[in-house]
Amino acid sequence: MAAPIEDYAIVGDMQAAALVSRSGSIDWLCFPRFDSGACFAALLGDKDNGHWTIRPRGGSRRAARRRYRGDTLILETEWEVPEGAVRVIDFMPPRHQAPDIVRIVEGISGRVPMRSCLRLRFDYGAVIPWVRKIDQQIAAVAGPDAVWLRSDVHTYGRDFATYADFDVCANDRVRFVLTWHPSHLPPPTPVDADEELAHTEALWKEWSGQSTYDGPWREAVQRSLLTLKALTYEPTGGIVAAATTSLPEDIGGSRNWDYRYCWLRDATMTLSALIRSGYDDEAAAWRQWLLRAVAGSPADLQIMYGVAGERRLLEYDLPWLSGYENSRPVRVGNKAVDQLQLDVYGEVIDALALARQAGLDPHEESWSLQAVLISHLSEHWHDRDEGIWEVRGPRRPFTHSKVMAWVAMDRAVKAVEEYGLRGPVGKWRAVRDEIHREVCAKGYDADRNTFTQSFGSRDVDAALLLIPQVGFLPPDDPRVVGTIEAVQRELTRDGLVMRYPGNEGVGPGSDGMPGTEGTFFACTFWLADDLAMIGRTREARDLFGRLLDLRNDVGLLSEEYDPRHRRMVGNFPQAYSHIALINSALHLDGSTPVRGDPNHTGPPG
C-alpha cells in the first residue's frame, strides 16, 4: 500500500513532479508533463504499478529524518541503521534536452548495505516496458515512452524490475540518473549528477532570494512559494492545482478527482500571493497564461484548462488501479470542465484588475477581451450554475457565484472610472447595483443573520467567507459578522472548516455525490482572515498557527484534513492550500487587505 499522504515530499523541474515517501520510494511520477501518463503509479495501486525505492536493506523502512536543503526543492532523506547512517538526495534538475530525476546516495557513517529497486510501468502502471542493457545503461521502452537509467553500481534484472545492491561507507557517493525521452528519438546527452546538484541548488537559492516576505512565518511562506513554483508549468506559466490525481477526499470513497490542470478560480489569489511576495515575473507569466486560456467567445469560458491552455480534458477511469487505500475509481481528466460556474468570470476580471494595479497589465492589450467577458456576464449573471465547489447535482442560484458576478462588474466600473478605459460604465454600474440588491435580498437569511449557500436555502457555505474579502460588504457589517459566526457554528469540525454541509445523494441541497469529505484547508485560512478583519486577531492567529502545525514534516499541505482520523486527504500538494497560507500570513502581518484594494466595497444593499 502507498504511504499516508503526509508521508510524501515533492521534487520537480517546473514541468513535471515526483512524490517521494519517507521510505525512500518514488510512488508517483508523470513524464514529460504534470498531466502525462505516470511511469510510477504505486500511489494509486501497489508496487507492481511502478515505483523506485532506494533505502537500506533490512531495518526500518521509514527514514529517521528528512528535510529540504534550505530554500530549495532538493530533498534529503536520512536513515540510521545498526551498520551506520546514510543519506539519499533526490531532485529534478532544470530541464535540458529531456526530464531527469537524480538520486545520490551519500554515506554518513559506518558501512550501510543499500538496495535500489526500479519498477517502471508506463501508462499509469499498465504497461511493462522492454528492458535491456546498452552501453552500461538500462534502457526501458514501450510504445512512445523510453527511459534510461545510469548508475555508478552494477544493476541486474529480476521479476520485471531492475535492482542494484551496494554498500556505502562514510563520504561515499553513489549516483543514479533516470531520464525520459520519446522512444523514436536518439537518447539525450547524459547529465552529470554532481554538476546538476550544484546547478539546481544555486537556481533554487537564487529564486528564493527574490522573496520580499520577512515576517514571523517566513519558513512557512517560503516553502509555500517554492511549492507553487514546483507546480508551475514553466513553458506557459500555468499553475496546476496539484501534482496528483484521485487522492481521495474520503478514504475508501469515490470523491477522487484529477487536479493536474489549471483552474481560473485560483487566478486572483495566486496573483496576489506572487505579487505581494516579490515574484512579479511569475505573476506576469500566470496572467499571460490566463489571457491566452480565456481568449475566444465568452460563452465558451471554461473553469479549467490544461497546462498549455488545452480545453478538452476528457474524464475516464483507470480500472486496473485499485485506488489510494482502495478508493475507487481512479480518474484521469475532469468532466467538471463542462460545468457552468459563473464565479470564474469574477475571478478572471478581478485577477486582471489586480495585475493592472500592480502595473503588470498593458491596458489596451487585454481590455477588449475583458470588456467582452463583462458584456456577456451582464446578460447571464441571473443563470443558475454548479458553483465554486463544482457540485455534480442540480444547478442552483449560488450566492457566491452572484457575489463574484458583482465583483466582475465592480472591477469593470473601476477600470473605467480610475484607469480611463472605455466601456458602457453606466450600464455596468446599474448591473453591479442590481446584483448587490438581489444577493442581499435573496441570499440572506434575516432570521438567522447569515448569508446562505444559494438563494432560498438554509445551508451556509464556506465560500461566503469571501464576501468581505472581495469587498462586497465591509467586515463590520452585521450581516458579515453573522455569516462568519454561522460558518463557525455550522461548518467547523474540531475547529476546521468544511466547505458546505455533508448532504449526500441527489436532494435539493446535495452535491450529487455519495460519501463525505474532510475539512478544507483553504476555507480554514479564509476563516482566519475573516476573524482578523472583524478584530478577533488573537483567535485568527491561533487558528493560523494550528493550520501551520498540520503541515507535514517538510511543510506541505494537501487539499483537506480529516479530523476523524487525524490525517491529510485529497490531492497533494495542493496549490490552493498553499496560496491561502501565503495570503493569510501577509494579511495577519497587516501587509495589505486580503484581495488588495481596500476600496472594493459595495453599497449597503
Side-chain angles (χ1 to χ4, degrees):
M1 292 180 65
I5 291 170
E6 52 266 37
D7 267 15
Y8 286 96
I10 186 173
V11 296
D13 67 354
M14 294 165 286
Q15 295 188 49
L19 294 189
V20 189
S21 75
R22 285 194 69 139
S23 63
S25 182
I26 300 176
D27 289 341
W28 183 253
L29 174 62
C30 300
F31 272 155
R33 299 192 340 176
F34 293 109
D35 56 351
S36 299
C39 59
F40 300 140
L43 180 71
L44 300 178
D46 58 32
K47 296 300 182 184
D48 286 337
N49 297 123
H51 71 101
W52 185 12
T53 302
I54 299 179
R55 63 169 174 252
R57 294 201 303 272
S60 173
R61 294 178 59 173
R62 284 173 60 89
R65 68 187 65 86
R66 63 178 178 169
R67 61 183 175 271
Y68 284 109
R69 182 181 289 186
D71 291 336
T72 76
L73 217 64
I74 299 168
L75 181 68
E76 298 182 338
T77 307
E78 297 180 359
W79 284 265
E80 294 176 355
V81 295
E83 296 89 347
V86 66
R87 176 185 301 118
V88 176
I89 302 170
D90 291 315
F91 66 99
M92 293 176 68
R95 194 168 297 193
H96 302 295
Q97 289 179 278
D100 303 284
I101 186 160
V102 178
R103 313 193 75 178
I104 300 174
V105 184
E106 287 187 336
I108 299 173
S109 65
R111 185 182 185 90
V112 180
M114 299 290 294
R115 168 167 288 178
S116 167
C117 174
L118 173 67
R119 195 179 303 273
L120 284 161
R121 297 292 184 269
F122 296 128
D123 193 22
Y124 299 101
V127 178
I128 300 173
W130 174 38
V131 180
R132 15 177 214 152
K133 185 168 281 190
I134 302 174
D135 297 331
Q136 303 307 307
Q137 299 182 70
I138 297 299
V141 177
D145 298 295
V147 165
W148 293 76
L149 174 69
R150 293 184 296 109
S151 70
D152 293 339
V153 293
H154 172 72
T155 61
Y156 62 94
R158 190 181 71 198
D159 300 327
F160 300 102
T162 299
Y163 290 87
D165 294 321
F166 56 99
D167 294 345
V168 289
C169 300
N171 300 316
D172 283 352
R173 290 169 69 86
V174 176
R175 306 156 189 85
F176 295 83
V177 179
L178 188 75
T179 304
W180 178 94
H181 74 104
S183 60
H184 65 280
L185 297 179
T189 303
V191 300
D192 183 282
D194 293 325
E195 288 181 2
E196 291 301 325
L197 176 60
H199 176 59
T200 303
E201 182 174 8
L203 180 146
W204 283 114
K205 285 184 174 179
E206 179 184 5
W207 188 84
S208 295
Q210 298 173 38
S211 174
T212 57
Y213 179 77
D214 194 28
W217 300 292
R218 187 196 177 280
E219 177 273 327
V221 168
Q222 199 59 37
R223 181 49 53 192
S224 292
L225 287 165
L226 282 158
T227 304
L228 278 187
K229 185 66 170 175
L231 295 174
T232 299
Y233 186 65
E234 191 173 49
T236 66
I239 300 174
V240 297
T244 57
T245 179
S246 300
L247 288 182
E249 297 171 4
D250 181 29
I251 300 296
S254 60
R255 295 171 179 258
N256 318 318
W257 316 112
D258 193 345
Y259 276 14
R260 298 171 300 156
Y261 307 114
C262 307
W263 265 255
L264 299 188
R265 182 167 297 112
D266 300 0
T268 310
M269 294 185 183
T270 302
L271 273 173
S272 177
L274 292 171
I275 290 169
R276 292 159 63 193
S277 302
Y279 290 99
D280 287 355
D281 288 346
E282 283 72 17
W286 171 241
R287 173 194 159 279
Q288 286 300 113
W289 177 90
L290 184 66
L291 286 171
R292 292 192 301 270
V294 304
S297 170
D300 296 333
L301 187 70
Q302 298 183 176
I303 66 166
M304 71 181 87
Y305 297 85
V307 294
E310 297 89 350
R311 290 173 174 260
R312 297 189 185 277
L313 309 177
L314 180 67
E315 182 178 302
Y316 58 95
D317 296 349
L318 305 180
W320 60 87
L321 290 175
S322 60
Y324 180 86
E325 296 192 19
N326 296 311
S327 303
R328 283 191 171 106
V330 173
R331 295 182 172 98
V332 170
N334 198 315
K335 70 178 181 181
V337 70
D338 297 322
Q339 290 187 350
L340 173 64
Q341 296 177 24
L342 291 172
D343 64 290
V344 300
Y345 288 88
E347 293 293 357
V348 169
I349 300 303
D350 197 24
L352 295 173
L354 180 62
R356 192 178 303 119
Q357 293 167 18
L360 299 179
D361 183 32
H363 302 164
E364 297 301 327
E365 179 183 327
S366 66
W367 178 244
S368 58
L369 172 60
Q370 295 174 62
V372 171
L373 292 174
I374 296 159
S375 177
H376 176 82
L377 182 63
S378 70
E379 303 297 329
H380 291 274
W381 69 268
H382 289 285
D383 295 351
R384 294 173 174 235
D385 70 338
E386 279 89 0
I388 181 175
W389 304 130
E390 301 172 6
V391 299
R392 299 201 175 192
R395 288 182 176 179
R396 282 174 263 169
F398 283 101
T399 301
H400 172 263
S401 296
K402 307 309 181 192
V403 168
M404 293 309 297
W406 175 90
V407 168
M409 306 313 296
D410 179 71
R411 305 320 188 246
V413 169
K414 288 181 169 61
V416 175
E417 293 178 341
E418 299 174 8
Y419 290 89
L421 298 175
R422 300 180 65 179
V425 67
K427 176 183 177 181
W428 293 345
R429 189 184 298 111
V431 173
R432 178 189 67 177
D433 294 346
E434 182 186 358
I435 296 172
H436 202 282
R437 287 191 297 271
E438 182 154 330
V439 169
C440 291
K442 298 180 180 180
Y444 174 69
D445 184 339
D447 293 337
R448 295 160 60 222
N449 187 30
T450 181
F451 285 94
T452 58
Q453 183 180 56
S454 59
F455 291 179
S457 76
R458 289 185 58 82
D459 289 338
V460 294
D461 187 314
L464 302 170
L465 294 169
L466 296 173
I467 285 175
Q469 298 185 26
V470 300
F472 184 83
L473 286 172
D476 59 356
D477 188 292
R479 293 166 293 185
V480 169
V481 176
T483 301
I484 296 168
E485 292 174 347
V487 168
Q488 283 189 295
R489 184 174 60 251
E490 300 180 28
L491 289 184
T492 56
R493 304 290 183 271
D494 197 21
L496 308 174
V497 180
M498 305 285 292
R499 295 190 294 180
Y500 47 82
N503 298 327
E504 298 183 35
V506 293
S510 166
D511 63 7
M513 290 293 297
T516 58
E517 63 179 19
T519 59
F520 207 71
F521 278 117
C523 296
T524 311
F525 283 114
W526 298 347
L527 176 58
D529 295 333
D530 277 16
L531 290 171
M533 293 177 82
I534 63 174
R536 292 159 60 176
T537 306
R538 174 172 290 185
E539 189 178 350
R541 285 174 171 257
D542 287 346
L543 180 56
F544 184 75
R546 185 178 176 205
L547 286 165
L548 295 189
D549 289 341
L550 293 177
R551 297 175 302 150
N552 74 356
D553 58 313
V554 289
L556 301 179
L557 290 169
S558 66
E559 180 185 23
E560 300 180 9
Y561 183 80
D562 188 338
R564 300 168 301 172
H565 305 294
R566 299 191 177 278
R567 59 180 299 188
M568 291 186 188
V569 288
N571 283 302
F572 177 89
Q574 179 82 4
Y576 214 34
S577 300
H578 287 281
I579 292 164
L581 185 158
I582 296 164
N583 284 322
S584 287
L586 291 162
H587 183 224
L588 292 174
D589 269 358
S591 302
T592 61
V594 177
R595 295 294 283 265
D597 186 351
N599 296 316
H600 283 167
T601 303

